[in-house]
Amino acid sequence: MVPPAWAALGHATFASPAHDVLLHGKESYRPEEVDYFVGFRPPHGFLKKLTRLKLVISFGAGVEGFLTDPEFPKDIPLVRFTDPSLAYEMAQYVTMHALIIHRQQRAFDEFQKAPLWRQLMMPRATDQTHIGILGLGEIGGKIAERLALYGFQVSGWSKARKSFPGVKSFAGQNELKAFLNQCHIVAAVLPQTPETIDLVNRDFLAQLPQGAWFINVARGTLVVDDDLIAALDSGHLGGAVLDVFRTEPLPTEHPFWRHSKITVTPHVAGITDPRMALAYIGNCVRTFEAGEPLADIVDVTRGY
Ligand code: GLV
């Protein structure tokens, strides 16, 4: 469950008599002798067979691939990779698309095809383009802070109230409507948990102002696909930028691929950098073996 490209790096990083790096499916090993597991979406039931397991490390920030396994050993600590490099990449993705939307770049692309020399007034970032981050956590906070530097009005929604410079914080179900009412662009960064599945449905989308855009860099399960398409087709939403999907790869026959108001990218907003992740994994193992407290421990009851 470690991509082969990582394996060579892993061997180079950990090669020592104390730590063997084994690639599941490629190398033979005895499940009862594995101490550490590193992966992303192991087959359900797989981890239960590793009876000596001490620590599970997710090389993705989202850990639903582990927590949806009914046999996941919940007594073993699970840590998730939340290196700042991942958050910065995701911030680039959201910022790039927010700027394309805000600066009306799609219209200029069309004018060039004509060709047509036509200037458009830009909305003012400070009061006419309000960006909302749905999921103001570790990653969402970094995205929000960066957007605020461009002068956008930025707010975030999360379960508990948060404090990030230049970012207005909305918290809890009671404040979701007020948060959505003011978002011209809303970017989803929420983890997949039982509470977030299908959150972006008809009612949710109806709370956004006319012409708003939806960006998803979180998980496809947040979105009710048909409700999103209906909101785009009715003209209520201006467009959507989607990097994550219920089924990945996105099936070729899925209507998202060919919808004129949807931009599709193949889950690339934030790709864990193997070099950063391996340094992180090495650190986790060293910290764990020294008996020191681990950072980024997942609260398995909360789901992130
Ligand atoms: C990617 O989707 C991740 O969870 O890191």
Side-chain angles (χ1 to χ4, degrees):
M1 270 144 277
V2 174
W6 288 43
L9 278 168
H11 281 289
T13 309
F14 294 109
S16 78
H19 301 111
D20 281 334
V21 179
L22 299 167
L23 189 59
H24 169 73
K26 291 262 191 284
E27 289 166 83
S28 62
Y29 62 93
R30 293 154 69 98
E32 65 280 9
E33 289 178 359
V34 173
D35 294 309
Y36 301 100
F37 175 86
V38 181
F40 190 43
R41 288 169 171 159
H44 286 184
F46 177 82
L47 292 177
K48 195 187 158 209
K49 295 188 204 129
L50 310 180
T51 47
R52 199 171 85 182
L53 201 58
K54 297 177 186 159
L55 180 67
V56 179
I57 303 172
S58 164
F59 60 62
V63 290
E64 78 287 348
F66 295 94
L67 301 184
T68 50
D69 176 356
E71 297 184 291
F72 177 73
K74 291 202 165 129
D75 50 325
I76 295 173
L78 167 65
V79 297
R80 66 188 184 118
F81 178 76
T82 52
D83 186 87
S85 61
L86 186 70
Y88 296 151
E89 270 189 29
M90 294 176 75
Q92 285 172 8
Y93 182 97
V94 174
T95 306
M96 172 177 77
H97 286 287
L99 287 171
I100 289 172
I101 296 162
H102 168 73
R103 307 253 345 162
Q104 305 175 75
Q105 184 56 41
R106 286 182 180 81
F108 294 119
D109 290 343
E110 287 309 310
F111 296 164
Q112 185 175 354
K113 284 185 201 151
L116 177 66
W117 179 274
R118 188 161 149 211
Q119 294 181 325
L120 296 174
M121 282 292 284
M122 290 299 140
R124 283 185 311 270
T126 45
D127 57 358
Q128 290 181 317
T129 299
H130 193 133
I131 306 181
I133 304 299
L134 188 71
L136 196 58
E138 187 104 4
I139 295 174
K142 291 199 172 67
I143 298 175
E145 274 176 8
R146 271 155 184 76
L147 288 167
L149 294 177
Y150 282 90
F152 290 114
Q153 291 188 77
V154 184
S155 58
W157 180 81
S158 43
K159 249 187 179 171
R161 204 167 304 285
K162 301 287 171 65
S163 170
F164 291 98
V167 181
K168 184 168 175 197
S169 162
F170 289 80
Q173 206 57 42
N174 289 345
E175 295 181 17
L176 181 59
K177 184 171 182 292
F179 165 76
L180 294 174
N181 284 177
Q182 34 115 62
C183 290
H184 301 110
I185 300 172
V186 63
V189 196
L190 284 171
Q192 175 184 316
T193 69
E195 286 162 298
T196 63
I197 290 176
D198 293 344
L199 178 73
V200 182
N201 57 20
R202 212 169 78 132
D203 295 342
F204 174 104
L205 294 166
Q207 304 299 337
L208 291 168
Q210 171 76 29
W213 280 70
F214 174 69
I215 300 176
N216 193 4
V217 291
R219 285 292 181 263
T221 46
L222 261 55
V223 180
V224 178
D225 293 358
D226 289 345
D227 290 1
L228 178 63
I229 289 176
L232 291 163
D233 289 347
S234 72
H236 178 64
L237 280 194
V241 176
L242 308 174
D243 185 52
V244 287
F245 305 92
R246 283 188 175 255
T247 307
E248 295 182 4
L250 182 63
T252 42
E253 66 284 2
H254 197 288
F256 284 169
W257 277 115
R258 279 166 282 275
H259 199 287
S260 62
K261 291 170 122 185
I262 295 179
T263 296
V264 166
T265 55
H267 203 139
V268 291
I271 297 182
T272 301
D273 178 335
R275 288 154 303 184
M276 303 300 284
L278 284 163
Y280 176 89
I281 293 161
N283 232 350
C284 275
V285 170
R286 274 187 292 276
T287 306
F288 183 81
E289 291 186 350
E292 290 162 14
L294 287 161
D296 310 320
I297 289 260
V298 172
D299 176 343
V300 292
T301 53
R302 206 175 57 160
Y304 54 95

